[in-house]
Amino acid sequence: MPKAKLEQAFEQTLSKGDKIFVPYIMAGDGGIDALPEQIQFLQEQGATAIELGIPFSDPVADGPTIQAAGLRALAEGVSLRSVLNKLAETKQGRSIPIVLMTYLNPIYNYGVEAFALACEQAGVDGVIVPDLPLEEEGLLTPSLADYQIALIRLAALTSSKQRLEKIATQTEGFLYAVTVTGTTGERATFADNVTVYLEQLKTMTDTPVLAGFGVSTPEQVRALSEHCDGVVVGSKIVASLHENNRTEIKPLIQATKNRSAN
Amino acid sequence: MSAYQQPSETGHFGSFGGRFVPETLMPAVIELEQAYKQACEDAEFQKEFNYYLKQYVGRETPLYFAERLTKALGGAKIYLKREDLNHTGAHKINNALGQALLTVRMGKQKVVAETGAGQHGVATATVCALLGLECIVFMGEEDIRRQKLNVFRMELLGAEVVSVSQGSGTLKDAVNEALRYWVAHVEDTHYIIGSVVGPHPFPKMVRDFQSVIGTETKQQFAEVEAGLPDAVVACIGGGSNAMGMFYPFVNDSTVKLYGVEAGGSGIDTGKHAATLTEGKVGVLHGTMTYLLQDQEGQVEEAHSISAGLDYPGVGPEHSHFKEIERVSYHSITDNEALEGLKFLSRAEGIIPALESAHAIAYLKKLAPTMRADQSIVVCLSGRGDKDVEAVKDALGGEGNA
């Protein structure tokens, strides 16, 4: 039960008084063979689940850092298929939940039903599709439901209250609260209304609410986590792994840990 | 046959179209849909649009009987719909004007656009100057190099041109960057997309603004020939001139519709932009449609001598027309298009844009198969001034070649 695995991992983290930390990595940045070690490393550092980006030729929701990582992965010949194969091969011995972040076209090209089945076989627990709004999600939901793969919905600062309620009610696994009006990538500051927005989302669902987009420092991780259940950190992790500055990652994850317990 | 009524309320043309955009954009896309719907019902908006089309763009454009071309090809009578005579030299301004008026109506002061060859960028910069809107245009760095004069033209008109180095630095990447910019500035900015592509309501809205082409043609043809033409031909990149021309004829089943894509170096070479004849269904830039893509669903680069056709996607309604077999789609290579350009220049004293030259070239195949009492209308979507340098290079500098 992939979806349940995700929910259990989150519950476990939250019950300790910690917040959830989901690092994003671009699958195949550094070669597809580097992937199992990268996942292992992030698990050891204390990540709750891993968001694995699938490289795509036209990533309109992504800023420069993730775009560049995607191009590097594409140059390595990495595809949705090769990532699913690698995950299936290394499924035994991996306990941390995996969530895929992919634009719709690679899934559609793979075949929606075949994709859902391959996710189950590869031990993928959830899917995030940034170019699939509520209006079009019927394209994926029946197949994903067949295999209990969570479809994680994204909420935006520009969404109306009515849309937020719908998104918050329908999401599975967690609610991805996009914290900037723009693409992924580091931001120095967040808009004033972000905390209100996160707290509002918290009242709309019992599913964990994670803040993501633009989060890059331990201070930001701590500040945002106070108003929701945790964070997704993308560009910063991608850059740290690529530039081999892995020591930058630990403090980000530590910022989600229960300080009274430490 | 019941009257054609697409798209659906949700913006789907059969199984194509839709709204595949990030949630951050959905409210803007819905706002646009509502604003457009209200504008359609508002006689004042239509009056204003028609006023500028007449007094500023210079419509209506002539439907010209190309007598020497007809004789040279030997077959059906050929009429040219002269969109090349519009202000700024192509059909692009019909849409740019409509959307800019809508921008003002929505209370937004800023406009973002993408451009390939620069024709849509120039048209957008022009209408933004006309209406006092701020304008930023994304253009691939490769295209900037190829179309320096159009860049300067946009700057003269007060627009900011931003070079896009991501990807291969062409139209597809410029659209990606324009979409990213729109996501970040959605609260005060409208995206004037340049063709019948993108998320709903763009394909419908751009079609409607361009439909003036087909509507005028129908009326003009009835005045000179009575009845309807037997065939209508237009070139297709994203497909806006073709859609504007075809749409008013969609319910006239006796009128055969032909769409001509760019065959580039030849379909066999893999270097082409023949999306409908060679592509596979997928999702790009907010819509489900035919795409040039590899086996893993990565979108591929298109290739054409004509920058305006150099796009790996196509408007979703064209995908629908292919599926219901209302339009037949064909391709013309770079070399055939160059021949077509020379042919029209010599036969009629009209240098067409390289895009439109694809439609002209297709006439050589179509016209001789038809009778002398039949008629073809071709959409001459733009003039060739912008292409003179590229054509000179392609012909090795020999105008007499």
Side-chain angles (χ1 to χ4, degrees), chain A residues 57-59 105 109 136 158, chain B residues 19 24 176 180 283 295 298-299:
Chain A
S57 51
D58 298 86
N105 198 53
N109 187 279
E136 307 288 349
T158 51
Chain B
R19 284 173 285 199
T24 302
N176 288 340
R180 289 184 187 115
V283 175
Q295 291 190 328
Q298 305 297 342
V299 181

Side-chain angles (χ1 to χ4, degrees), chain A residues 181-192:
Chain A
T181 302
T183 52
T184 59
E186 298 174 21
R187 301 290 200 284
T189 54
F190 290 93
D192 295 340

Side-chain angles (χ1 to χ4, degrees), chain B residues 142-160:
Chain B
E142 183 56 31
D143 288 333
I144 285 183
R145 193 159 42 236
R146 291 193 285 196
Q147 298 284 345
K148 283 193 201 83
L149 273 179
N150 268 344
V151 175
F152 185 64
R153 213 167 266 152
M154 287 183 264
E155 287 170 350
L156 268 183
L157 290 161
E160 182 190 347

Side-chain angles (χ1 to χ4, degrees), chain B residues 362-378:
Chain B
Y362 186 68
L363 289 178
K364 287 193 187 179
K365 302 186 182 185
L366 181 64
T369 68
M370 293 170 65
R371 297 188 315 267
D373 63 339
Q374 293 183 303
S375 300
I376 306 173
V377 174
V378 188

Side-chain angles (χ1 to χ4, degrees), chain A residues 6-27:
Chain A
L6 201 53
E7 284 159 9
Q8 274 165 19
F10 290 159
E11 225 176 80
Q12 210 175 357
T13 301
L14 294 172
S15 68
K16 284 192 284 184
D18 292 345
K19 297 289 185 169
I20 295 162
F21 188 92
V22 179
Y24 169 102
I25 54 178
M26 175 58 74

Side-chain angles (χ1 to χ4, degrees), chain B residues 13 32 36 40 49 91-96 98-99 102 114 120 190-213 238-245 247 315-317:
Chain B
F13 302 89
L32 178 63
Y36 178 60
C40 286
F49 182 45
H91 71 290
K92 290 290 184 191
I93 196 155
N94 303 327
N95 166 51
Q99 288 202 50
L102 198 60
E114 85 294 339
H120 174 60
H190 173 62
Y191 180 16
I192 300 193
I193 208 162
S195 192
V196 284
V197 299
H200 177 65
F202 284 107
K204 169 185 157 63
M205 182 173 70
V206 177
R207 172 195 80 189
D208 293 351
F209 286 141
Q210 291 293 2
S211 288
V212 64
I213 302 172
S240 69
N241 90 83
M243 197 48 74
M245 182 55 123
Y247 183 61
E317 196 164 15

Side-chain angles (χ1 to χ4, degrees), chain A residues 4 14 22 26 47-48 53 77 81 89 107 114 126 162 170 183 185 192 246 249 262:
Chain A
L14 294 172
V22 179
M26 175 58 74
T48 320
R81 195 177 310 274
E89 268 171 41
I107 299 179
Q162 205 182 2
Q170 285 176 220
T183 52
D192 295 340
R246 288 187 170 199
I249 295 174
N262 286 345

Side-chain angles (χ1 to χ4, degrees), chain B residues 50-355:
Chain B
N50 290 332
Y51 167 80
Y52 282 111
L53 282 179
K54 180 165 191 262
Q55 302 296 345
Y56 186 73
V57 176
R59 302 200 72 96
E60 60 182 30
T61 59
L63 182 70
Y64 167 71
F65 174 48
E67 194 173 356
R68 275 175 43 85
L69 187 66
T70 300
K71 277 192 185 135
L73 292 177
K77 281 192 244 180
I78 297 166
Y79 285 86
L80 303 177
K81 179 58 175 168
R82 298 290 309 275
E83 290 300 298
D84 60 318
L85 294 177
N86 284 327
H87 180 41
T88 70
H91 71 290
K92 290 290 184 191
I93 196 155
N94 303 327
N95 166 51
L97 175 64
Q99 288 202 50
L101 290 171
L102 198 60
T103 305
V104 173
R105 203 184 151 90
M106 288 189 294
K108 295 189 173 183
Q109 293 88 37
K110 295 177 188 169
V111 158
V112 60
E114 85 294 339
T115 198
Q119 290 307 102
H120 174 60
V122 168
T124 304
T126 298
V127 294
C128 284
L130 171 71
L131 299 174
L133 298 167
E134 259 181 60
C135 179
I136 179 163
V137 180
F138 287 90
M139 188 169 180
E141 64 179 358
E142 183 56 31
D143 288 333
I144 285 183
R145 193 159 42 236
R146 291 193 285 196
Q147 298 284 345
K148 283 193 201 83
L149 273 179
N150 268 344
V151 175
F152 185 64
R153 213 167 266 152
M154 287 183 264
E155 287 170 350
L156 268 183
L157 290 161
E160 182 190 347
V161 180
V162 180
S163 172
V164 177
S165 58
Q166 280 91 340
S168 59
T170 57
L171 178 58
K172 169 174 90 86
D173 309 292
V175 175
N176 288 340
E177 220 32 42
L179 279 169
R180 289 184 187 115
Y181 181 91
W182 195 31
V183 171
H185 299 85
V186 63
E187 274 144 35
D188 64 354
T189 304
H190 173 62
Y191 180 16
I192 300 193
I193 208 162
S195 192
V196 284
V197 299
H200 177 65
F202 284 107
K204 169 185 157 63
M205 182 173 70
V206 177
R207 172 195 80 189
D208 293 351
F209 286 141
Q210 291 293 2
S211 288
V212 64
I213 302 172
T215 305
E216 281 180 9
T217 297
K218 216 168 172 175
Q219 217 162 35
Q220 292 168 315
F221 189 87
E223 280 163 21
V224 290
E225 289 279 352
L228 293 163
D230 300 281
V232 173
V233 179
C235 66
I236 295 186
S240 69
N241 90 83
M243 197 48 74
M245 182 55 123
F246 293 165
Y247 183 61
F249 290 101
V250 72
N251 289 317
D252 302 308
S253 54
T254 61
V255 182
K256 289 189 173 157
L257 306 174
Y258 297 89
V260 185
E261 296 191 296
S265 312
I267 299 297
D268 312 341
T269 66
K271 290 195 171 303
H272 58 77
T275 312
L276 286 162
T277 42
E278 295 296 313
K280 198 177 150 195
V281 178
V283 175
L284 178 70
H285 298 151
T287 193
M288 182 167 287
T289 190
Y290 278 87
L291 296 179
L292 297 179
Q293 55 183 315
D294 70 12
Q295 291 190 328
E296 304 295 344
Q298 305 297 342
V299 181
E300 295 183 305
E301 287 303 321
H303 296 272
S304 170
I305 188 170
S306 138
L309 303 183
D310 217 342
Y311 183 66
V314 65
E317 196 164 15
H318 284 294
S319 293
H320 179 60
F321 281 165
K322 174 189 160 89
E323 190 151 287
I324 64 171
E325 298 181 347
R326 179 61 189 96
V327 178
S328 78
Y329 294 94
H330 304 269
S331 69
I332 283 291
T333 65
D334 288 350
N335 285 336
E336 290 173 315
L338 279 167
E339 282 305 313
L341 181 141
K342 280 201 296 185
F343 188 56
L344 185 66
S345 301
R346 303 283 167 82
E348 297 287 350
I350 298 169
I351 303 178
L354 273 170
E355 290 79 11

